[in-house]
Amino acid sequence: MAFSVVKSLTGFLLLLNFSMYVIVAAIAGWALNKAIDHSYVIGSNGTVPTGFSFSPMFFPIGNEATGFLVIFSLIAAVVGAGSCVSGIHHLRVWSTESLASSASSAMTAWGLTLLAMGLACKEIHIHGRSPKLIALESFLIILSGTKLFYLMLIHAGFFGGRFFAHEDTHVVTATPDPPKGSTATA
């Protein structure tokens, strides 16, 4: 009974995390597209005017931390969505081998999400951001908690005793050799 609750809660968290990573990727992609489409004012002789900061990390919609936040959010969203796909495979198979791959990809995604969340906290501290960036920050903060809860759940499920190794499924058909020093009786 408890085993099915762990699996169903893990499945719910996987779907929640996947949908939130897709939303984070969409908002961060929008912000990156807006920054790319932003036109820089260049003088008539083809030079950048003095006092103008020409930086590839300049985003016209936020503050100084926005560029780093958007880039790391995109990376975390792609890796996080991939780890959710690995988690779905683990949920289907539920073996020790699938736990290893699912847990390692989830730990990587969680680490990148924590990095993006730290940049979101820095952006909150600086102030001066748009409502869409506030939504991005909120999703990253929530995702860091739900991903950690997912990691704890799949490891708690491992200690529940319902995992099986690939070797456990094979049946030995050969008879073992008799112990040394004994005679075989017919």
Side-chain angles (χ1 to χ4, degrees), residues 125-140:
H125 180 72
I126 295 175
H127 298 293
R129 57 207 195 275
S130 72
K132 288 184 181 177
L133 291 176
I134 293 172
L136 178 67
E137 297 159 0
S138 302
F139 275 110
L140 286 171

Side-chain angles (χ1 to χ4, degrees), residues 24-66:
V24 165
I27 295 172
W30 167 83
L32 184 64
N33 187 39
K34 187 146 178 87
I36 290 172
D37 289 344
H38 179 71
S39 60
Y40 294 101
V41 179
I42 296 179
S44 59
N45 58 358
T47 62
V48 178
T50 53
F52 182 74
S53 174
F54 188 78
S55 169
M57 297 308 281
F58 174 73
F59 278 69
I61 54 173
N63 53 34
E64 293 83 9
T66 303

Side-chain angles (χ1 to χ4, degrees), residues 27-176:
I27 295 172
W30 167 83
L32 184 64
N33 187 39
K34 187 146 178 87
I36 290 172
D37 289 344
H38 179 71
S39 60
Y40 294 101
V41 179
I42 296 179
S44 59
N45 58 358
T47 62
V48 178
T50 53
F52 182 74
S53 174
F54 188 78
S55 169
M57 297 308 281
F58 174 73
F59 278 69
I61 54 173
N63 53 34
E64 293 83 9
T66 303
F68 296 105
L69 172 69
V70 168
I71 298 298
F72 282 103
S73 296
L74 277 172
I75 294 169
V78 170
V79 173
S83 76
C84 290
V85 171
S86 174
I88 290 171
H89 172 69
H90 170 62
L91 193 63
R92 187 178 61 83
V93 175
W94 204 260
S95 67
T96 54
E97 290 85 5
S98 66
L99 173 68
S101 65
S102 177
S104 64
S105 64
M107 289 282 271
T108 304
W110 183 57
L112 288 170
T113 305
L114 284 178
L115 182 62
M117 186 202 69
L119 290 166
C121 291
K122 182 64 177 176
E123 188 177 41
I124 291 169
H125 180 72
I126 295 175
H127 298 293
R129 57 207 195 275
S130 72
K132 288 184 181 177
L133 291 176
I134 293 172
L136 178 67
E137 297 159 0
S138 302
F139 275 110
L140 286 171
I141 291 169
I142 294 167
L143 262 172
S144 64
T146 58
K147 197 65 169 182
L148 175 64
F149 189 52
Y150 165 74
L151 278 167
M152 292 185 333
L153 261 179
I154 61 173
H155 284 88
F158 175 73
F159 292 116
R162 297 284 180 123
F163 275 89
F164 64 91
H166 184 68
E167 292 82 25
D168 293 342
T169 61
H170 296 294
V171 177
V172 178
T173 57
T175 57

